[in-house]
Amino acid sequence: MKDRVTTPWKTVIVVLTVIGTLIAMNQAFFWNPGGFSLLANSYLYLVLACFLPIVFLCYPIVKSQGGKRLPSYDIAIAALVLITCLYLGYNGETIITFGWDYAAPPLATAAAFVLWIAVLDALRRTAGLVVTGIALAFSLYPLIADVIPIGFLRGLSFDLKTTAQIHALGADSILGLPLQVGGSILIGFLMFGVALQHTGGAAFFYDLAQAAFGRFRGGSAKVSVISSGSMGMMSGSAVSNVLTTGPMTIPAMKRSGFAGKYAAGVEATASTGGTITPPIMGTAAFLMVSFVGVPYAEIALAAAVPALLYFLGIFVQIDAYSAKSGLRGVRRELLPRFGGVLLKGWPYLTALIGLIVILIVYKNEVQAPYFVIAFLLVVEIVKFALSSDLKKVPALLFDFVYSAGRTIGEIIGIIAGVGLIVGGLSMTGVSLSMARELIALVDGNIILILIAGAITSFVLGMGMTVSAVYVFLAIILAPALVALGINPIAGHLFVIYWATVSYITPPVALASFAAANIAKTPPMATSLVAMRLGAVKYIIPFAFVFNPALLAQDAGLVEIIYTLLFAVIGVFFIGCAFEGWAIGVERRMHAVTRVITGLAGITTLAPELTSSLIGLGVGVLAMVVTRFVNTGEAPTGEVPIEDDAVAESLARTDDIGESTDETDSART
């Protein structure tokens, strides 16, 4: 796809992106020049007019056309979509006033069909056939809803013309909650992620990870965890993280003495964790804002502790693996200096801290990213000015806006298509009854509904984007969880966590397979290693559902603190058990002791204080037994590594953060 979009068409994309961003900023900052303001539906149509055509310019009709020049039919489709959305945006007030979603004139009806088809094709190009097939089925569902033999799936039915009108002109389908969130919050945050990457943020976090952890045992793997997690905060994609940082971290881990499949598993697991890590996270987290009805800052704060526990679980296992295998870190003199990296990277730390302050103190998630983007770009321009390289600024801004346009266009294409799922369920009235029927089906048993929800999220996650899975289950499963007394944020995060599990779990395991391809290891074996490393991700969702204190919800400060402390200890026990090495004690663990320690870790994570104390006591006892009774010993020597070769592999930061067609096509 490198030659598909030539410079003139890149310029078109840049112009569309600038116009779309200015329109979004007008809504965010209430500029309303000349007293002119946009109705909500007109604004969303203009967002589609600016960003939906980019999908047809950047993504080929079939993958085999990816390496060819932009064909005339894709240009024609993009132009048709642009004209259609502009027409609908111009008539936004008329659509509402005259009820065009049920009785539109012929031209508007034709426009509705064009938009419906275009959104489905945009979804197919960006997210694949599986999710498109699901969206198509739900969008056609109103045609047969009244004849469905299953009671709770039976609903209101509409003819094809009215269905198209409601999908394209109504407020609950293409223009529904997903696109409303995309238009209000996502555009700014997606641009912020791109700005971080294009101004060197990704390389900074990578260097910071090297400086902080490179010299410790298993340092190359720990660098991978931090750098991939940081990249995930910016891109929101597990697969793109693997493809971006994996070519550097995986060879470095292998040269440090890690087995190939273990190195690939570390990269896949860490990259997947980036999609659930605040403050940016993935697209689904922003969709939670509308479904849960709380500020994004509260969602990000709630997600912080589970993300911390997830990465702690990976760290503990890496440290235990390195200890029992005799792996060491790289000599300190071959790594970047921590103080120097911090000093050089002050703009990125300032940007993140500023974003967090604006989110928490001012509670303005719509405007927050634009302030931080402006700060990063100004700092970068000043850097060029001080080095007398101002001639590079236009290229920097052009590349930044182009990459932002591609990113936003892709996400807008996905969430507009996902909106069809919402529309099909809402217009038939079925969405109102599904949660009630689900509760009745499991007879109000929370354990059963959580297990069913986890399995459903995982299965859907194998073929759908995380945002699509989340929207679908936010309509069906999450209301049932809330009705059973589960904290709303906990219920919705439960869905997101289990939807992302599919990235490292066979049989699909996209992130694991991508890492295996880089490491040249068997994909299935790599996926199994990634599953073990990411074991906390399978446990934590159940833990925070039963104990919302892990999300800083429904609890006082003291309870939150001791809950976090017990959770950290529990994750530590689980990590040691999985690797069979007692960190601190520095002894191998017997099989029986491993099982006991693992169960102790899970018990320590349990919501009741009594069970946590019992788990803590049993875990400590198992460690003591391992130290004084178990015959396992530490390795007699260290695995020799070539420090220079490892440092050279880790030092290739120039490529980090560069947007590629392959990574752009793999977002959540």
Side-chain angles (χ1 to χ4, degrees), residues 11-21 49-51 53-54 57 82:
T11 305
V12 170
I13 291 171
V14 167
V15 171
L16 288 172
T17 303
V18 169
I19 294 173
T21 303
C50 292
F51 294 110
I54 294 175
L57 297 177
L82 174 64

Side-chain angles (χ1 to χ4, degrees), residues 402-418:
Y402 171 69
S403 296
R406 277 185 60 100
T407 300
I408 298 169
E410 179 186 2
I411 298 300
I412 292 295
I414 291 174
I415 63 179
V418 168

Side-chain angles (χ1 to χ4, degrees), residues 31-49:
W31 290 336
N32 300 331
F36 175 76
S37 61
L38 289 170
L39 293 176
N41 65 337
S42 292
Y43 167 63
L44 293 177
Y45 284 127
L46 291 181
V47 167
L48 289 173

Side-chain angles (χ1 to χ4, degrees), residues 361-377:
V361 177
Y362 295 99
K363 301 184 185 301
N364 194 331
E365 63 262 24
V366 177
Q367 297 178 358
Y370 295 109
F371 288 117
V372 184
I373 292 167
F375 168 76
L376 286 172
L377 293 179

